[in-house]
Amino acid sequence: MTEYGRGQAPEPWHPNDPLYGDQGWTGQHQVPSQYPQEQQPQQYEQYEQYPHQQQYVQQQHPQQQYPQGQQYQQHPQDQQYYGGQQAYDTQAGHVHAADPYGGGVDPYAAQQPVGYPGGAPDLYSTADAYPPPQPPGRRTPIPDPATEWQQDDQDGPDAADAEDEGRTAEDGGGGAEDDGRDGPHDGGRRSGRGKAGKGKKPKKRRNGVACLFVALVLVGGVGGVGYYGYSFLQDKFGEPADFTGEGTDPVDVEIKAGSSLGAMGRALKEAGVVASVDAFTEAAGAHPKGTAIQPGVYPLRKGMSAAAAVELMTDPSKLNVVTVTEGMRNAAVYAAVDKKLKLKPGTTLEVSKRELKNLGLPAWANNNPKIMDPLEGFLYPARYDLTKDMKPEALLKEMVARAKQKYEELGIEGKAKDLGLESPLQVVTVASMVNAEGMNHDDFRKMAEVVYNRLKPDNVVTNHKIEFDSTINYAKGTSNIHVSRKEAKEFNHPYNTYFNDGLTPGPIGNPGDEALNATLDPDEGGWMFFVSVDGKKTSFTKTYDEHLKLVDEFNARQKNGG
């Protein structure tokens, strides 16, 4: 460092100084610093050049030359300071140092400085030169490394630094005009800070917008946690959400086959019928028939209470479906479709006649002109869900397709001849009679055996006649179980099996699975007659005499009001 470093505190040599790192100058004594010696800068001292171009060259030790950049270690006694032995020459602009041993001559300075013409250039007078150090009276101590300024500089330049470097000397920012030097305008205080000595202001504090943003984030986080916490507790321990009343706007909801109560509740909630799945499952669990809710399309209303929805869905009559039962006649099916679709009575019957060729009947279906209804036996027994805008022709086509598929699965077309029948249509016809006359499924195989035995050519008991009351009732559109023998013998109609030999021209109803299977696999017990004495159980006999005894029992019961 230079002699000007002997102020209240040392001033480090800036790395951008052109003489920084040059050979050590030993002609002057260092001043003891208030800092420990290991913290003192180990830099070479140098003199400045002043306008009179007087040069001060480095003083070298008489016996040793130090290369450039190598530090010079002084003797311990050279580090003593003798007050009053230094004077500042204001006119010459440099410092005279006295001999610390009182002789007036530095023993290590025997070799006098020599100037060389055209020697070292004046490194402080060029345009890019670093300014010379200031006299001791104009210096300020180096900031403590732990201060905010030093910490800020360690973090690197920021927006505030860039702003400060753009300021001018008049702003007090130590900008381009100030160039890091102190001047009279600042009262002896250094305006600069930072690694390069350029003027910078303390780093700006966080503004209010950032604080507000952080506060909002914290408040939002706390609110979100509270909301989800409340929702969790409400779901676990609170009453499930539920509507009240019977609802408002009508809406059809389909419950698919195999749906659990939870799946039903989700379907209803998505349609806006119930408020929550839990409310529906609880209501269904509390209802006696809640676990027996059938799949299908239900005409419900939006905003219904869960209990009201369950009550409606446990009533089969409330289903928006048409159910074709085993043995059901087409006339009853048409009426049910008209009612469910809110059509004028007779509409579906007219559609069945008009659209007959477009409903998908098999080729072997309508081959007898005496058939009363070509669709009889082809509206297969099942439950059919109705959509809001469904048309009768679409529903009839679906029923025919179901029957056709079932008949193909059973293979009735190939088994007809094995059973002694003329066509697959006669298989369906026999099945329809079995379904109409049998009291229950246990009767069906014996009933099929009765039909086949009466159709045999050697049948001399009934003379090839079936003699079923159900055929007369079908022809008349009735369900009378008390058909008199006289009426049966006098009613001339193709469907009267008392009057005509053999089977009816077509089916007399829509047989179900059990009747069809029994028709394809009869009992073969030789049964020829049957009668239901009590109206609950059917009794079968092989001979006519046995049959007459059962008839007498039946008539006696009827007289006694049984």
Side-chain angles (χ1 to χ4, degrees), residues 14 16 130-131 143 149 152-153 160-167 172-182 190-202:
H14 197 282
N16 292 336
Y130 188 78
W149 290 4
D152 176 56
D153 290 338
D161 298 340
E163 180 182 354
D164 290 341
E165 294 196 13
R167 295 178 180 271
E177 297 183 9
D178 182 20
D179 214 357
R181 293 172 291 181
D182 299 329
R190 292 179 62 88
S191 61
R193 64 180 176 91
K195 298 177 182 178
K198 294 185 179 181
K200 295 181 181 179
K201 297 194 301 182

Side-chain angles (χ1 to χ4, degrees), residues 5-122:
R6 297 174 182 172
Q8 296 178 355
E11 178 182 6
W13 202 305
H14 197 282
N16 292 336
D17 195 312
L19 294 183
Y20 175 78
D22 204 347
Q23 295 180 357
W25 178 73
T26 60
Q28 301 296 336
H29 300 289
Q30 292 182 347
V31 181
S33 173
Q34 58 183 343
Y35 301 104
Q37 183 170 350
E38 61 270 20
Q39 297 182 359
Q40 296 182 12
Q42 299 294 323
Q43 298 175 344
Y44 295 110
E45 298 177 353
Q46 67 181 18
Y47 275 121
E48 307 165 350
Q49 287 186 341
Y50 293 94
H52 58 274
Q53 299 296 326
Q54 180 179 356
Q55 297 182 357
Y56 288 86
V57 299
Q58 298 179 357
Q59 301 297 323
Q60 300 178 353
H61 196 281
Q63 282 81 22
Q64 185 174 1
Q65 182 76 22
Y66 293 91
Q68 182 176 359
Q70 180 176 347
Q71 294 182 348
Y72 174 76
Q73 181 67 38
Q74 293 179 330
H75 294 280
Q77 62 269 23
D78 292 340
Q79 297 181 5
Q80 302 296 323
Y81 177 77
Y82 297 89
Q85 306 241 347
Q86 168 180 290
Y88 182 80
D89 189 346
T90 58
Q91 294 181 357
H94 57 274
V95 177
H96 299 281
D99 181 8
Y101 299 99
V105 179
D106 187 352
Y108 295 97
Q111 184 176 353
Q112 298 297 325
V114 180
Y116 297 94
D122 184 0

Side-chain angles (χ1 to χ4, degrees), residues 252-327:
D252 292 337
V253 179
E254 180 181 5
I255 300 300
K256 296 182 179 180
S259 297
S260 63
L261 290 179
M264 295 179 188
R266 285 189 291 273
L268 296 178
K269 185 176 184 299
E270 292 175 359
V273 176
V274 297
S276 66
V277 177
D278 290 341
F280 174 79
T281 55
E282 289 185 6
H287 196 281
K289 299 181 180 179
T291 58
I293 297 176
Q294 300 179 9
V297 178
Y298 289 87
L300 302 169
R301 293 182 178 273
K302 292 185 177 181
M304 297 180 71
S305 68
V310 171
E311 185 64 31
L312 186 148
M313 297 175 71
T314 52
D315 184 359
S317 65
K318 302 297 183 182
L319 275 170
N320 194 17
V321 298
V322 170
T323 301
V324 179
T325 60
E326 294 181 357

Side-chain angles (χ1 to χ4, degrees), residues 459-472:
N459 174 19
V460 295
V461 178
T462 62
N463 296 320
H464 311 118
K465 292 181 175 59
I466 301 297
E467 294 184 350
F468 280 4
D469 293 347
S470 57
T471 60
I472 297 177

Side-chain angles (χ1 to χ4, degrees), residues 447-467:
M447 194 67 66
E449 174 71 5
V450 170
V451 174
Y452 290 133
N453 286 335
R454 291 187 180 185
L455 288 176
K456 288 181 179 180
D458 59 351
N459 174 19
V460 295
V461 178
T462 62
N463 296 320
H464 311 118
K465 292 181 175 59
I466 301 297
E467 294 184 350

Side-chain angles (χ1 to χ4, degrees), residues 515-549:
L516 285 166
N517 290 325
T519 300
L520 297 176
D521 184 24
D523 181 80
E524 297 183 355
W527 311 110
M528 284 290 292
F529 302 95
F530 63 93
V531 64
S532 178
V533 177
D534 57 2
K536 297 178 181 179
K537 181 181 178 181
T538 305
S539 298
F540 293 87
T541 63
K542 297 179 181 179
T543 65
Y544 184 67
D545 293 337
E546 294 174 336
H547 174 65
L548 290 178
K549 291 179 181 180

Side-chain angles (χ1 to χ4, degrees), residues 222-388:
V222 173
V225 172
Y227 171 78
Y228 285 108
Y230 171 80
S231 299
F232 175 79
L233 294 177
Q234 182 69 18
D235 291 340
K236 291 295 183 182
F237 306 105
E239 293 292 332
D242 196 4
F243 296 129
T244 59
E246 300 296 326
T248 55
D249 300 332
V251 58
D252 292 337
V253 179
E254 180 181 5
I255 300 300
K256 296 182 179 180
S259 297
S260 63
L261 290 179
M264 295 179 188
R266 285 189 291 273
L268 296 178
K269 185 176 184 299
E270 292 175 359
V273 176
V274 297
S276 66
V277 177
D278 290 341
F280 174 79
T281 55
E282 289 185 6
H287 196 281
K289 299 181 180 179
T291 58
I293 297 176
Q294 300 179 9
V297 178
Y298 289 87
L300 302 169
R301 293 182 178 273
K302 292 185 177 181
M304 297 180 71
S305 68
V310 171
E311 185 64 31
L312 186 148
M313 297 175 71
T314 52
D315 184 359
S317 65
K318 302 297 183 182
L319 275 170
N320 194 17
V321 298
V322 170
T323 301
V324 179
T325 60
E326 294 181 357
M328 192 174 185
R329 300 172 186 169
N330 280 5
V333 176
Y334 299 149
V337 174
D338 289 340
K339 182 178 181 180
K340 282 294 183 179
L341 296 182
K342 298 179 174 56
L343 302 174
K344 181 181 178 181
T347 302
T348 305
L349 174 60
E350 293 298 326
V351 170
S352 69
K353 295 178 180 180
R354 183 177 67 247
E355 301 292 334
L356 179 62
K357 295 182 180 180
N358 301 322
L359 298 179
L361 288 171
W364 48 262
N366 186 12
N367 59 357
N368 191 330
K370 296 181 179 181
I371 293 177
M372 293 180 61
D373 185 353
L375 283 181
E376 196 73 66
F378 292 95
L379 304 183
Y380 197 79
R383 193 184 70 190
Y384 298 90
D385 297 328
L386 305 179
T387 59
K388 184 178 180 180

